[in-house]
Amino acid sequence: MQNRNVKKIILFLCIIIGLAIVLLPVLAPVIHDNNTAKSAIRQYIYKKGYTYQSFFAIIEDDEHDDPEYGHLYGVTWFDRNNPVRDTSPLFYVKKFKEGYKVTSVGTGP
């Protein structure tokens, strides 16, 4: 009886993980809009072809404002096209009438 419950739990977890794998790419354009600065960064990562990384990227506020580029954020995510496979680029995000937009991306000085 207990063995059957364990199998049900494992099956349930596999279904949940499978749904997440299938639904994340479908939901990304809906979830990542430009209503917030962090969402604009996630949208930028998604549009570059990194669907799953757009959900799991670590975004930190660097508390620096530039009048030309906007607010600075540090973002750590896995870049499969980068030779070292890990990036920590700096994203500048500025607010416009239609929402937030990534204005500059780089690795810094």
Side-chain angles (χ1 to χ4, degrees), residues 44-85:
Y44 177 90
I45 294 170
Y46 168 76
K47 286 183 176 181
K48 289 292 183 183
Y50 300 97
T51 304
Y52 296 103
Q53 289 302 314
S54 68
F55 284 97
F56 301 114
I58 300 167
I59 302 173
E60 298 173 353
D61 186 349
D62 282 354
E63 299 181 8
H64 175 74
D65 283 315
D66 184 279
E68 183 179 349
Y69 295 109
H71 196 77
L72 179 64
Y73 291 88
V75 182
T76 304
W77 55 291
F78 178 78
D79 184 353
R80 66 179 176 269
N81 292 329
N82 189 327
V84 293
R85 300 279 190 231

